Amino acid sequence: MKAQREAHPLDALSPVADVAQLAAGQEAVPRVFVHDALVRYVQRLVAETRRHPHAAWGASPRGALGLMRLAQSMAALRGEPFVTPDHVKRLAEPVLAHRIVVKPRSRVQGVDGGRIVAESVERVEVPIDYGPA
């Protein structure tokens, strides 16, 4: 508190991108290639959360879309030309876990949305062919 008596740390920050750079980044994300096999992988992964025995409600199609778009964003930020299964697997829990309603009995046993997503990722077969042709 003493260090912030006279100045806030945010006052010393400078921008890392301007509006044009931000817009260019946003336009680049939808152009990152997503193979049809990966689209089906995301769909199967989300469907598995709905079939999970501890889930009252699993992730929705909107969750699948969010997962795909965030995977495109991750690939774009890393300068990669296409989405890989690793992008999807790494992002599945942060994107989907909060969208899952766990059954009350399961919740009492310590099951949460993160566990349901992790188990779903383990169950769904990962595509082998996912790069551009």
Side-chain angles (χ1 to χ4, degrees):
M1 287 187 355
K2 287 174 115 181
Q4 293 186 28
R5 248 188 325 212
E6 296 177 20
H8 193 278
L10 291 179
D11 296 336
L13 292 180
S14 58
V16 295
D18 61 23
V19 174
Q21 290 169 316
L22 182 59
Q26 288 175 326
E27 290 171 10
V29 170
R31 290 193 301 263
V32 172
F33 179 76
V34 183
H35 195 282
D36 287 345
L38 271 180
V39 172
R40 288 189 297 274
Y41 175 60
V42 170
Q43 290 169 333
R44 286 192 311 270
L45 186 59
V46 169
E48 186 65 30
T49 69
R50 292 192 295 270
R51 285 191 292 272
H52 195 282
H54 292 293
W57 297 96
S60 69
R62 198 169 73 180
L65 181 59
L67 179 55
M68 184 187 72
R69 295 295 284 213
L70 191 56
Q72 286 178 289
S73 299
M74 178 180 270
L77 285 171
R78 293 181 173 181
E80 298 167 351
F82 57 91
V83 173
T84 68
D86 288 337
H87 295 132
V88 174
K89 288 165 47 173
R90 181 150 192 267
L91 296 167
E93 187 173 334
V95 173
L96 300 177
H98 70 281
R99 299 173 182 269
I100 296 170
V101 177
V102 180
K103 291 179 179 176
R105 180 174 290 184
S106 300
R107 200 170 346 110
V108 169
Q109 296 170 354
V111 177
D112 62 5
R115 178 173 159 189
I116 291 172
V117 173
E119 290 177 3
S120 297
V121 167
E122 290 291 321
R123 288 183 184 144
V124 176
E125 185 178 346
V126 178
I128 298 170
D129 184 22
Y130 51 81

PDB file of all heavy atoms in Angstrom, residues 94-127:
ATOM      1  N   PRO A  94     -10.230 -25.334 -19.681  1.00  0.00           N
ATOM      2  CA  PRO A  94     -10.604 -23.947 -19.376  1.00  0.00           C
ATOM      3  C   PRO A  94     -11.823 -23.452 -20.154  1.00  0.00           C
ATOM      4  O   PRO A  94     -12.547 -22.584 -19.683  1.00  0.00           O
ATOM      5  CB  PRO A  94      -9.364 -23.127 -19.716  1.00  0.00           C
ATOM      6  CG  PRO A  94      -8.385 -24.038 -20.338  1.00  0.00           C
ATOM      7  CD  PRO A  94      -8.853 -25.435 -20.148  1.00  0.00           C
ATOM      8  N   VAL A  95     -12.058 -24.022 -21.334  1.00  0.00           N
ATOM      9  CA  VAL A  95     -13.197 -23.565 -22.138  1.00  0.00           C
ATOM     10  C   VAL A  95     -14.496 -24.258 -21.724  1.00  0.00           C
ATOM     11  O   VAL A  95     -15.557 -23.632 -21.697  1.00  0.00           O
ATOM     12  CB  VAL A  95     -12.934 -23.801 -23.646  1.00  0.00           C
ATOM     13  CG1 VAL A  95     -14.169 -23.499 -24.480  1.00  0.00           C
ATOM     14  CG2 VAL A  95     -11.762 -22.948 -24.116  1.00  0.00           C
ATOM     15  N   LEU A  96     -14.427 -25.532 -21.390  1.00  0.00           N
ATOM     16  CA  LEU A  96     -15.651 -26.321 -21.203  1.00  0.00           C
ATOM     17  C   LEU A  96     -16.049 -26.572 -19.747  1.00  0.00           C
ATOM     18  O   LEU A  96     -17.242 -26.738 -19.463  1.00  0.00           O
ATOM     19  CB  LEU A  96     -15.509 -27.671 -21.909  1.00  0.00           C
ATOM     20  CG  LEU A  96     -15.261 -27.629 -23.412  1.00  0.00           C
ATOM     21  CD1 LEU A  96     -15.060 -29.043 -23.945  1.00  0.00           C
ATOM     22  CD2 LEU A  96     -16.389 -26.918 -24.135  1.00  0.00           C
ATOM     23  N   ALA A  97     -15.093 -26.633 -18.835  1.00  0.00           N
ATOM     24  CA  ALA A  97     -15.401 -27.087 -17.468  1.00  0.00           C
ATOM     25  C   ALA A  97     -16.500 -26.273 -16.792  1.00  0.00           C
ATOM     26  O   ALA A  97     -17.387 -26.832 -16.138  1.00  0.00           O
ATOM     27  CB  ALA A  97     -14.136 -27.076 -16.615  1.00  0.00           C
ATOM     28  N   HIS A  98     -16.483 -24.968 -16.963  1.00  0.00           N
ATOM     29  CA  HIS A  98     -17.484 -24.133 -16.282  1.00  0.00           C
ATOM     30  C   HIS A  98     -18.862 -24.226 -16.938  1.00  0.00           C
ATOM     31  O   HIS A  98     -19.843 -23.745 -16.389  1.00  0.00           O
ATOM     32  CB  HIS A  98     -17.016 -22.678 -16.247  1.00  0.00           C
ATOM     33  CG  HIS A  98     -17.028 -22.009 -17.576  1.00  0.00           C
ATOM     34  ND1 HIS A  98     -16.041 -22.203 -18.517  1.00  0.00           N
ATOM     35  CD2 HIS A  98     -17.919 -21.162 -18.131  1.00  0.00           C
ATOM     36  CE1 HIS A  98     -16.322 -21.489 -19.595  1.00  0.00           C
ATOM     37  NE2 HIS A  98     -17.454 -20.854 -19.386  1.00  0.00           N
ATOM     38  N   ARG A  99     -18.927 -24.858 -18.096  1.00  0.00           N
ATOM     39  CA  ARG A  99     -20.204 -25.004 -18.809  1.00  0.00           C
ATOM     40  C   ARG A  99     -20.958 -26.273 -18.403  1.00  0.00           C
ATOM     41  O   ARG A  99     -22.062 -26.506 -18.875  1.00  0.00           O
ATOM     42  CB  ARG A  99     -19.961 -25.034 -20.312  1.00  0.00           C
ATOM     43  CG  ARG A  99     -19.326 -23.768 -20.850  1.00  0.00           C
ATOM     44  CD  ARG A  99     -18.950 -23.944 -22.321  1.00  0.00           C
ATOM     45  NE  ARG A  99     -18.302 -22.771 -22.842  1.00  0.00           N
ATOM     46  CZ  ARG A  99     -18.916 -21.742 -23.426  1.00  0.00           C
ATOM     47  NH1 ARG A  99     -20.228 -21.760 -23.550  1.00  0.00           N
ATOM     48  NH2 ARG A  99     -18.238 -20.722 -23.877  1.00  0.00           N
ATOM     49  N   ILE A 100     -20.345 -27.094 -17.584  1.00  0.00           N
ATOM     50  CA  ILE A 100     -20.914 -28.393 -17.218  1.00  0.00           C
ATOM     51  C   ILE A 100     -21.579 -28.299 -15.851  1.00  0.00           C
ATOM     52  O   ILE A 100     -21.017 -27.743 -14.912  1.00  0.00           O
ATOM     53  CB  ILE A 100     -19.805 -29.464 -17.214  1.00  0.00           C
ATOM     54  CG1 ILE A 100     -19.266 -29.618 -18.638  1.00  0.00           C
ATOM     55  CG2 ILE A 100     -20.319 -30.785 -16.666  1.00  0.00           C
ATOM     56  CD1 ILE A 100     -18.029 -30.451 -18.737  1.00  0.00           C
ATOM     57  N   VAL A 101     -22.783 -28.844 -15.776  1.00  0.00           N
ATOM     58  CA  VAL A 101     -23.494 -28.925 -14.496  1.00  0.00           C
ATOM     59  C   VAL A 101     -23.307 -30.350 -13.982  1.00  0.00           C
ATOM     60  O   VAL A 101     -23.729 -31.312 -14.623  1.00  0.00           O
ATOM     61  CB  VAL A 101     -24.993 -28.594 -14.651  1.00  0.00           C
ATOM     62  CG1 VAL A 101     -25.718 -28.769 -13.327  1.00  0.00           C
ATOM     63  CG2 VAL A 101     -25.175 -27.190 -15.204  1.00  0.00           C
ATOM     64  N   VAL A 102     -22.646 -30.460 -12.842  1.00  0.00           N
ATOM     65  CA  VAL A 102     -22.358 -31.765 -12.243  1.00  0.00           C
ATOM     66  C   VAL A 102     -23.560 -32.199 -11.407  1.00  0.00           C
ATOM     67  O   VAL A 102     -24.187 -31.381 -10.733  1.00  0.00           O
ATOM     68  CB  VAL A 102     -21.081 -31.674 -11.375  1.00  0.00           C
ATOM     69  CG1 VAL A 102     -20.757 -33.013 -10.734  1.00  0.00           C
ATOM     70  CG2 VAL A 102     -19.915 -31.172 -12.201  1.00  0.00           C
ATOM     71  N   LYS A 103     -23.863 -33.495 -11.456  1.00  0.00           N
ATOM     72  CA  LYS A 103     -24.953 -34.026 -10.646  1.00  0.00           C
ATOM     73  C   LYS A 103     -24.652 -33.772  -9.167  1.00  0.00           C
ATOM     74  O   LYS A 103     -23.495 -33.863  -8.742  1.00  0.00           O
ATOM     75  CB  LYS A 103     -25.110 -35.533 -10.889  1.00  0.00           C
ATOM     76  CG  LYS A 103     -25.628 -35.869 -12.264  1.00  0.00           C
ATOM     77  CD  LYS A 103     -25.725 -37.372 -12.451  1.00  0.00           C
ATOM     78  CE  LYS A 103     -26.264 -37.694 -13.843  1.00  0.00           C
ATOM     79  NZ  LYS A 103     -26.266 -39.152 -14.087  1.00  0.00           N
ATOM     80  N   PRO A 104     -25.670 -33.457  -8.367  1.00  0.00           N
ATOM     81  CA  PRO A 104     -25.437 -33.144  -6.953  1.00  0.00           C
ATOM     82  C   PRO A 104     -24.685 -34.241  -6.194  1.00  0.00           C
ATOM     83  O   PRO A 104     -23.756 -33.959  -5.450  1.00  0.00           O
ATOM     84  CB  PRO A 104     -26.843 -32.953  -6.388  1.00  0.00           C
ATOM     85  CG  PRO A 104     -27.661 -32.537  -7.563  1.00  0.00           C
ATOM     86  CD  PRO A 104     -27.078 -33.261  -8.740  1.00  0.00           C
ATOM     87  N   ARG A 105     -25.053 -35.478  -6.408  1.00  0.00           N
ATOM     88  CA  ARG A 105     -24.382 -36.584  -5.709  1.00  0.00           C
ATOM     89  C   ARG A 105     -22.908 -36.659  -6.111  1.00  0.00           C
ATOM     90  O   ARG A 105     -22.037 -36.909  -5.289  1.00  0.00           O
ATOM     91  CB  ARG A 105     -25.083 -37.899  -6.017  1.00  0.00           C
ATOM     92  CG  ARG A 105     -24.436 -39.084  -5.308  1.00  0.00           C
ATOM     93  CD  ARG A 105     -25.223 -40.331  -5.507  1.00  0.00           C
ATOM     94  NE  ARG A 105     -26.461 -40.193  -4.748  1.00  0.00           N
ATOM     95  CZ  ARG A 105     -27.373 -41.130  -4.630  1.00  0.00           C
ATOM     96  NH1 ARG A 105     -27.214 -42.277  -5.232  1.00  0.00           N
ATOM     97  NH2 ARG A 105     -28.458 -40.935  -3.921  1.00  0.00           N
ATOM     98  N   SER A 106     -22.629 -36.400  -7.366  1.00  0.00           N
ATOM     99  CA  SER A 106     -21.242 -36.421  -7.844  1.00  0.00           C
ATOM    100  C   SER A 106     -20.447 -35.253  -7.270  1.00  0.00           C
ATOM    101  O   SER A 106     -19.276 -35.397  -6.917  1.00  0.00           O
ATOM    102  CB  SER A 106     -21.220 -36.372  -9.370  1.00  0.00           C
ATOM    103  OG  SER A 106     -21.896 -37.481  -9.917  1.00  0.00           O
ATOM    104  N   ARG A 107     -21.097 -34.108  -7.186  1.00  0.00           N
ATOM    105  CA  ARG A 107     -20.438 -32.920  -6.633  1.00  0.00           C
ATOM    106  C   ARG A 107     -20.011 -33.159  -5.189  1.00  0.00           C
ATOM    107  O   ARG A 107     -18.913 -32.790  -4.774  1.00  0.00           O
ATOM    108  CB  ARG A 107     -21.375 -31.713  -6.729  1.00  0.00           C
ATOM    109  CG  ARG A 107     -20.671 -30.396  -6.644  1.00  0.00           C
ATOM    110  CD  ARG A 107     -21.536 -29.199  -6.978  1.00  0.00           C
ATOM    111  NE  ARG A 107     -22.807 -29.457  -7.631  1.00  0.00           N
ATOM    112  CZ  ARG A 107     -23.996 -29.301  -7.057  1.00  0.00           C
ATOM    113  NH1 ARG A 107     -24.093 -28.862  -5.821  1.00  0.00           N
ATOM    114  NH2 ARG A 107     -25.099 -29.544  -7.720  1.00  0.00           N
ATOM    115  N   VAL A 108     -20.875 -33.813  -4.434  1.00  0.00           N
ATOM    116  CA  VAL A 108     -20.564 -34.134  -3.043  1.00  0.00           C
ATOM    117  C   VAL A 108     -19.360 -35.078  -2.973  1.00  0.00           C
ATOM    118  O   VAL A 108     -18.568 -35.024  -2.031  1.00  0.00           O
ATOM    119  CB  VAL A 108     -21.797 -34.764  -2.343  1.00  0.00           C
ATOM    120  CG1 VAL A 108     -21.446 -35.352  -0.995  1.00  0.00           C
ATOM    121  CG2 VAL A 108     -22.899 -33.740  -2.204  1.00  0.00           C
ATOM    122  N   GLN A 109     -19.197 -35.915  -3.994  1.00  0.00           N
ATOM    123  CA  GLN A 109     -18.075 -36.853  -4.036  1.00  0.00           C
ATOM    124  C   GLN A 109     -16.792 -36.193  -4.564  1.00  0.00           C
ATOM    125  O   GLN A 109     -15.774 -36.854  -4.727  1.00  0.00           O
ATOM    126  CB  GLN A 109     -18.425 -38.051  -4.920  1.00  0.00           C
ATOM    127  CG  GLN A 109     -19.558 -38.880  -4.388  1.00  0.00           C
ATOM    128  CD  GLN A 109     -20.045 -39.921  -5.392  1.00  0.00           C
ATOM    129  OE1 GLN A 109     -19.617 -39.952  -6.534  1.00  0.00           O
ATOM    130  NE2 GLN A 109     -20.947 -40.779  -4.946  1.00  0.00           N
ATOM    131  N   GLY A 110     -16.845 -34.897  -4.843  1.00  0.00           N
ATOM    132  CA  GLY A 110     -15.651 -34.180  -5.274  1.00  0.00           C
ATOM    133  C   GLY A 110     -15.472 -34.066  -6.774  1.00  0.00           C
ATOM    134  O   GLY A 110     -14.439 -33.596  -7.242  1.00  0.00           O
ATOM    135  N   VAL A 111     -16.460 -34.493  -7.528  1.00  0.00           N
ATOM    136  CA  VAL A 111     -16.371 -34.398  -8.987  1.00  0.00           C
ATOM    137  C   VAL A 111     -16.722 -32.977  -9.400  1.00  0.00           C
ATOM    138  O   VAL A 111     -17.669 -32.384  -8.887  1.00  0.00           O
ATOM    139  CB  VAL A 111     -17.320 -35.412  -9.676  1.00  0.00           C
ATOM    140  CG1 VAL A 111     -17.293 -35.258 -11.183  1.00  0.00           C
ATOM    141  CG2 VAL A 111     -16.961 -36.834  -9.262  1.00  0.00           C
ATOM    142  N   ASP A 112     -15.944 -32.428 -10.327  1.00  0.00           N
ATOM    143  CA  ASP A 112     -16.248 -31.102 -10.859  1.00  0.00           C
ATOM    144  C   ASP A 112     -16.183 -31.137 -12.384  1.00  0.00           C
ATOM    145  O   ASP A 112     -15.864 -32.170 -12.983  1.00  0.00           O
ATOM    146  CB  ASP A 112     -15.312 -30.036 -10.291  1.00  0.00           C
ATOM    147  CG  ASP A 112     -13.851 -30.271 -10.637  1.00  0.00           C
ATOM    148  OD1 ASP A 112     -13.529 -31.203 -11.391  1.00  0.00           O
ATOM    149  OD2 ASP A 112     -13.011 -29.488 -10.157  1.00  0.00           O
ATOM    150  N   GLY A 113     -16.494 -30.020 -13.008  1.00  0.00           N
ATOM    151  CA  GLY A 113     -16.494 -29.946 -14.465  1.00  0.00           C
ATOM    152  C   GLY A 113     -15.128 -30.242 -15.063  1.00  0.00           C
ATOM    153  O   GLY A 113     -15.033 -30.852 -16.133  1.00  0.00           O
ATOM    154  N   GLY A 114     -14.076 -29.832 -14.386  1.00  0.00           N
ATOM    155  CA  GLY A 114     -12.727 -30.103 -14.875  1.00  0.00           C
ATOM    156  C   GLY A 114     -12.443 -31.586 -14.985  1.00  0.00           C
ATOM    157  O   GLY A 114     -11.839 -32.049 -15.955  1.00  0.00           O
ATOM    158  N   ARG A 115     -12.875 -32.329 -14.002  1.00  0.00           N
ATOM    159  CA  ARG A 115     -12.665 -33.787 -14.047  1.00  0.00           C
ATOM    160  C   ARG A 115     -13.461 -34.423 -15.180  1.00  0.00           C
ATOM    161  O   ARG A 115     -12.964 -35.313 -15.872  1.00  0.00           O
ATOM    162  CB  ARG A 115     -13.057 -34.404 -12.712  1.00  0.00           C
ATOM    163  CG  ARG A 115     -12.914 -35.909 -12.694  1.00  0.00           C
ATOM    164  CD  ARG A 115     -13.135 -36.469 -11.326  1.00  0.00           C
ATOM    165  NE  ARG A 115     -13.477 -37.885 -11.401  1.00  0.00           N
ATOM    166  CZ  ARG A 115     -13.900 -38.595 -10.373  1.00  0.00           C
ATOM    167  NH1 ARG A 115     -14.014 -38.029  -9.183  1.00  0.00           N
ATOM    168  NH2 ARG A 115     -14.195 -39.859 -10.517  1.00  0.00           N
ATOM    169  N   ILE A 116     -14.667 -33.960 -15.382  1.00  0.00           N
ATOM    170  CA  ILE A 116     -15.493 -34.498 -16.464  1.00  0.00           C
ATOM    171  C   ILE A 116     -14.837 -34.228 -17.808  1.00  0.00           C
ATOM    172  O   ILE A 116     -14.766 -35.111 -18.673  1.00  0.00           O
ATOM    173  CB  ILE A 116     -16.925 -33.927 -16.391  1.00  0.00           C
ATOM    174  CG1 ILE A 116     -17.640 -34.500 -15.162  1.00  0.00           C
ATOM    175  CG2 ILE A 116     -17.697 -34.202 -17.672  1.00  0.00           C
ATOM    176  CD1 ILE A 116     -18.986 -33.887 -14.864  1.00  0.00           C
ATOM    177  N   VAL A 117     -14.323 -33.028 -18.002  1.00  0.00           N
ATOM    178  CA  VAL A 117     -13.647 -32.702 -19.263  1.00  0.00           C
ATOM    179  C   VAL A 117     -12.389 -33.545 -19.420  1.00  0.00           C
ATOM    180  O   VAL A 117     -12.138 -34.106 -20.494  1.00  0.00           O
ATOM    181  CB  VAL A 117     -13.318 -31.197 -19.352  1.00  0.00           C
ATOM    182  CG1 VAL A 117     -12.467 -30.898 -20.568  1.00  0.00           C
ATOM    183  CG2 VAL A 117     -14.596 -30.372 -19.380  1.00  0.00           C
ATOM    184  N   ALA A 118     -11.587 -33.657 -18.355  1.00  0.00           N
ATOM    185  CA  ALA A 118     -10.344 -34.436 -18.431  1.00  0.00           C
ATOM    186  C   ALA A 118     -10.637 -35.894 -18.795  1.00  0.00           C
ATOM    187  O   ALA A 118      -9.942 -36.474 -19.645  1.00  0.00           O
ATOM    188  CB  ALA A 118      -9.596 -34.353 -17.107  1.00  0.00           C
ATOM    189  N   GLU A 119     -11.655 -36.464 -18.199  1.00  0.00           N
ATOM    190  CA  GLU A 119     -12.008 -37.850 -18.505  1.00  0.00           C
ATOM    191  C   GLU A 119     -12.553 -37.970 -19.929  1.00  0.00           C
ATOM    192  O   GLU A 119     -12.299 -38.964 -20.609  1.00  0.00           O
ATOM    193  CB  GLU A 119     -13.008 -38.382 -17.486  1.00  0.00           C
ATOM    194  CG  GLU A 119     -12.381 -38.590 -16.117  1.00  0.00           C
ATOM    195  CD  GLU A 119     -13.351 -39.058 -15.044  1.00  0.00           C
ATOM    196  OE1 GLU A 119     -14.551 -39.291 -15.357  1.00  0.00           O
ATOM    197  OE2 GLU A 119     -12.916 -39.181 -13.880  1.00  0.00           O
ATOM    198  N   SER A 120     -13.271 -36.964 -20.383  1.00  0.00           N
ATOM    199  CA  SER A 120     -13.785 -36.979 -21.756  1.00  0.00           C
ATOM    200  C   SER A 120     -12.635 -36.898 -22.759  1.00  0.00           C
ATOM    201  O   SER A 120     -12.643 -37.599 -23.782  1.00  0.00           O
ATOM    202  CB  SER A 120     -14.763 -35.818 -21.971  1.00  0.00           C
ATOM    203  OG  SER A 120     -15.891 -35.966 -21.127  1.00  0.00           O
ATOM    204  N   VAL A 121     -11.646 -36.067 -22.464  1.00  0.00           N
ATOM    205  CA  VAL A 121     -10.467 -35.960 -23.339  1.00  0.00           C
ATOM    206  C   VAL A 121      -9.759 -37.309 -23.417  1.00  0.00           C
ATOM    207  O   VAL A 121      -9.299 -37.717 -24.490  1.00  0.00           O
ATOM    208  CB  VAL A 121      -9.510 -34.850 -22.844  1.00  0.00           C
ATOM    209  CG1 VAL A 121      -8.155 -34.924 -23.532  1.00  0.00           C
ATOM    210  CG2 VAL A 121     -10.133 -33.474 -23.056  1.00  0.00           C
ATOM    211  N   GLU A 122      -9.692 -38.019 -22.299  1.00  0.00           N
ATOM    212  CA  GLU A 122      -9.058 -39.340 -22.287  1.00  0.00           C
ATOM    213  C   GLU A 122      -9.832 -40.354 -23.124  1.00  0.00           C
ATOM    214  O   GLU A 122      -9.237 -41.238 -23.732  1.00  0.00           O
ATOM    215  CB  GLU A 122      -8.939 -39.855 -20.844  1.00  0.00           C
ATOM    216  CG  GLU A 122      -7.942 -39.098 -20.006  1.00  0.00           C
ATOM    217  CD  GLU A 122      -6.506 -39.335 -20.450  1.00  0.00           C
ATOM    218  OE1 GLU A 122      -6.172 -40.477 -20.813  1.00  0.00           O
ATOM    219  OE2 GLU A 122      -5.730 -38.373 -20.429  1.00  0.00           O
ATOM    220  N   ARG A 123     -11.141 -40.244 -23.155  1.00  0.00           N
ATOM    221  CA  ARG A 123     -11.985 -41.238 -23.824  1.00  0.00           C
ATOM    222  C   ARG A 123     -12.091 -41.059 -25.336  1.00  0.00           C
ATOM    223  O   ARG A 123     -12.262 -42.030 -26.061  1.00  0.00           O
ATOM    224  CB  ARG A 123     -13.403 -41.196 -23.242  1.00  0.00           C
ATOM    225  CG  ARG A 123     -13.500 -41.745 -21.868  1.00  0.00           C
ATOM    226  CD  ARG A 123     -14.943 -41.720 -21.403  1.00  0.00           C
ATOM    227  NE  ARG A 123     -15.034 -42.175 -20.026  1.00  0.00           N
ATOM    228  CZ  ARG A 123     -15.862 -41.693 -19.136  1.00  0.00           C
ATOM    229  NH1 ARG A 123     -16.704 -40.738 -19.471  1.00  0.00           N
ATOM    230  NH2 ARG A 123     -15.870 -42.154 -17.910  1.00  0.00           N
ATOM    231  N   VAL A 124     -12.037 -39.823 -25.801  1.00  0.00           N
ATOM    232  CA  VAL A 124     -12.291 -39.558 -27.217  1.00  0.00           C
ATOM    233  C   VAL A 124     -11.018 -39.771 -28.034  1.00  0.00           C
ATOM    234  O   VAL A 124      -9.954 -39.260 -27.687  1.00  0.00           O
ATOM    235  CB  VAL A 124     -12.831 -38.122 -27.418  1.00  0.00           C
ATOM    236  CG1 VAL A 124     -13.003 -37.797 -28.882  1.00  0.00           C
ATOM    237  CG2 VAL A 124     -14.153 -37.950 -26.675  1.00  0.00           C
ATOM    238  N   GLU A 125     -11.159 -40.538 -29.106  1.00  0.00           N
ATOM    239  CA  GLU A 125     -10.018 -40.839 -29.979  1.00  0.00           C
ATOM    240  C   GLU A 125      -9.535 -39.574 -30.686  1.00  0.00           C
ATOM    241  O   GLU A 125     -10.337 -38.804 -31.219  1.00  0.00           O
ATOM    242  CB  GLU A 125     -10.421 -41.887 -31.010  1.00  0.00           C
ATOM    243  CG  GLU A 125      -9.275 -42.339 -31.875  1.00  0.00           C
ATOM    244  CD  GLU A 125      -9.681 -43.422 -32.857  1.00  0.00           C
ATOM    245  OE1 GLU A 125     -10.768 -44.007 -32.694  1.00  0.00           O
ATOM    246  OE2 GLU A 125      -8.910 -43.661 -33.794  1.00  0.00           O
ATOM    247  N   VAL A 126      -8.233 -39.381 -30.678  1.00  0.00           N
ATOM    248  CA  VAL A 126      -7.616 -38.201 -31.278  1.00  0.00           C
ATOM    249  C   VAL A 126      -7.359 -38.468 -32.762  1.00  0.00           C
ATOM    250  O   VAL A 126      -6.822 -39.510 -33.116  1.00  0.00           O
ATOM    251  CB  VAL A 126      -6.282 -37.867 -30.563  1.00  0.00           C
ATOM    252  CG1 VAL A 126      -5.600 -36.669 -31.189  1.00  0.00           C
ATOM    253  CG2 VAL A 126      -6.510 -37.643 -29.082  1.00  0.00           C
ATOM    254  N   PRO A 127      -7.728 -37.516 -33.632  1.00  0.00           N
ATOM    255  CA  PRO A 127      -7.475 -37.725 -35.066  1.00  0.00           C
ATOM    256  C   PRO A 127      -5.972 -37.692 -35.372  1.00  0.00           C
ATOM    257  O   PRO A 127      -5.205 -36.994 -34.717  1.00  0.00           O
ATOM    258  CB  PRO A 127      -8.198 -36.556 -35.730  1.00  0.00           C
ATOM    259  CG  PRO A 127      -8.354 -35.530 -34.676  1.00  0.00           C
ATOM    260  CD  PRO A 127      -8.386 -36.261 -33.366  1.00  0.00           C
TER     261      PRO A 127
END
